[in-house]
């Protein structure tokens, strides 16, 4: 290659590498595989259009298959927190309580004997919700059901008395649906203040998950502010790998 072309090719390669580093978290060291992961999903649908909180089932299936091939030990959130050794554990979570978790996510997870944790907002509007019959089947297969307030309310903009009622009543509502103790909570929209953490603890929950993107050893995690990895519908395989290994794919 003539010398001018060599230097041009080198410049293009360097600029390309810098562009990747500017967009992606390649510079961040991978977190140890032994550290547990909590993954946050919402809606799983049989569609080619994946974006935001909606993921198509084939993309979801590839991710679960990949994690299983990596040796993931699939557990519920409460199982992860109670395990003597959480090494390699992965807790898959679904927020809100979409009926498609039963129709499309469950068959994928069944192939690997993988349970999940669903955070139910029992009176959330605008979605097709899991029915009591669906919940019973999933629970019989090892799934855990936590609470997500009654109406999926934005806690920081909700009056304190109403926020407390939303938290307390959601635990009771989920227990009525499942017939079992409701141990875990998810902050709607990932938005909350310190007083809401106190409310969750006082309501009798044993843990609460957030939308903070991080991978941490269990002993360093606050059980009432657990981080999760956001699984966005538009993520490609490279971006999923970066998220799974580093906590987030974008800078």
């Amino acid at each position: 290659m003539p010398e001018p072309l060599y230097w041009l090719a080198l410049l293009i390669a360097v600029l390309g590498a810098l562009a990747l580093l500017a967009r992606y978290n390649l510079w961040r060291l991978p977190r140890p595989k032994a550290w547990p992961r909590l993954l946050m999903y919402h809606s799983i649908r049989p569609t080619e259009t994946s974006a935001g909180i909606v993921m198509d089932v084939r993309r979801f299936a590839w991710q679960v298959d990949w994690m299983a091939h990596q040796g993931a030990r699939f557990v519920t959130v409460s199982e992860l927190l109670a395990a003597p050794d959480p090494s390699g554990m992965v807790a898959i979570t679904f927020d809100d309580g979409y009926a498609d978790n039963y129709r499309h996510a469950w068959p994928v997870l069944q192939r690997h004997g993988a349970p999940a944790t669903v955070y139910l907002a029992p009176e959330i509007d605008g979605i097709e919700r899991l029915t009591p019959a669906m919940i019973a089947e999933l629970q019989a297969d090892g799934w855990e059901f936590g609470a997500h307030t009654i109406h999926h309310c934005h806690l920081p903009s909700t009056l304190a008395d109403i926020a407390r009622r939303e938290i307390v009543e959601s635990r009771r509502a989920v227990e009525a649906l499942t017939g079992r103790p409701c141990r875990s909570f998810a902050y709607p929209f990932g938005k909350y203040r310190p007083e809401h953490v106190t409310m969750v603890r006082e309501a009798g929950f044993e843990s609460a998950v957030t939308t903070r993107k991080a991978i941490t050893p269990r002993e360093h995690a606050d059980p009432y502010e657990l981080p999760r990895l956001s699984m966005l519908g538009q993520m490609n395989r490279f971006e999923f790998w970066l998220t799974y290994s580093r906590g987030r794919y974008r800078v």
Side-chain angles (χ1 to χ4, degrees), residues 14-242:
V14 169
L15 291 175
L18 290 175
L20 279 175
L21 290 173
R23 177 176 175 81
Y24 292 115
N25 268 329
L26 287 167
W27 53 270
R28 188 188 298 270
L29 291 176
R31 300 302 187 252
K33 287 183 66 175
W35 290 6
R37 270 78 167 160
L38 282 78
L39 278 58
M40 178 180 65
Y41 294 90
H42 287 77
S43 176
I44 307 297
R45 302 180 190 176
T47 174
E48 294 296 328
T49 303
S50 285
I53 64 172
V54 176
M55 181 175 290
D56 72 83
V57 67
R58 285 190 291 184
R59 192 174 309 225
F60 177 69
W62 180 88
Q63 293 179 2
V64 175
D65 291 346
W66 183 89
M67 289 185 283
H69 183 73
Q70 297 297 311
R73 300 164 60 196
F74 295 110
V75 294
T76 66
V77 170
S78 291
E79 287 171 341
L80 189 157
L81 294 176
D85 178 13
S87 298
M89 286 187 170
V90 174
I92 291 175
T93 70
F94 296 96
D95 283 9
D96 304 340
Y98 288 83
D100 59 40
N101 297 167
Y102 170 89
R103 296 192 183 107
H104 307 301
W106 186 28
V108 172
L109 294 174
Q110 279 183 306
R111 297 204 298 262
H112 301 286
T117 301
V118 179
Y119 292 102
L120 296 171
E123 296 182 26
I124 186 174
D125 289 329
I127 72 169
E128 183 186 0
R129 300 194 296 261
L130 287 164
T131 67
M134 291 173 178
I135 290 170
E137 285 191 63
L138 293 172
Q139 186 169 253
D141 199 35
W143 286 40
E144 175 182 15
F145 289 89
H148 201 35
T149 72
I150 289 289
H151 298 96
H152 198 271
C153 66
H154 183 268
L155 292 172
S157 61
T158 302
L159 293 175
D161 288 346
I162 297 175
R164 186 182 301 276
R165 184 163 63 249
E166 285 275 342
I167 292 168
V168 171
E169 292 300 324
S170 67
R171 182 168 186 248
R172 293 173 182 167
V174 172
E175 289 179 341
L177 281 168
T178 64
R180 294 184 184 178
C182 179
R183 298 175 177 173
S184 188
F185 183 83
Y187 301 100
F189 309 102
K191 304 298 183 183
Y192 62 97
R193 292 197 290 257
E195 58 264 35
H196 301 121
V197 177
T198 300
M199 291 177 189
V200 169
R201 185 185 295 110
E202 291 176 347
F205 291 101
E206 297 173 8
S207 68
V209 295
T210 70
T211 58
R212 183 172 66 87
K213 303 173 182 66
I215 301 168
T216 59
R218 189 182 64 183
E219 60 270 21
H220 293 169
D222 183 336
Y224 290 96
E225 295 184 78
L226 295 170
R228 289 187 293 175
L229 309 182
S230 296
M231 298 291 112
L232 300 176
Q234 66 270 23
M235 289 168 56
N236 59 38
R237 295 183 180 188
F238 174 66
E239 291 167 341
F240 169 78
W241 171 75
L242 275 179

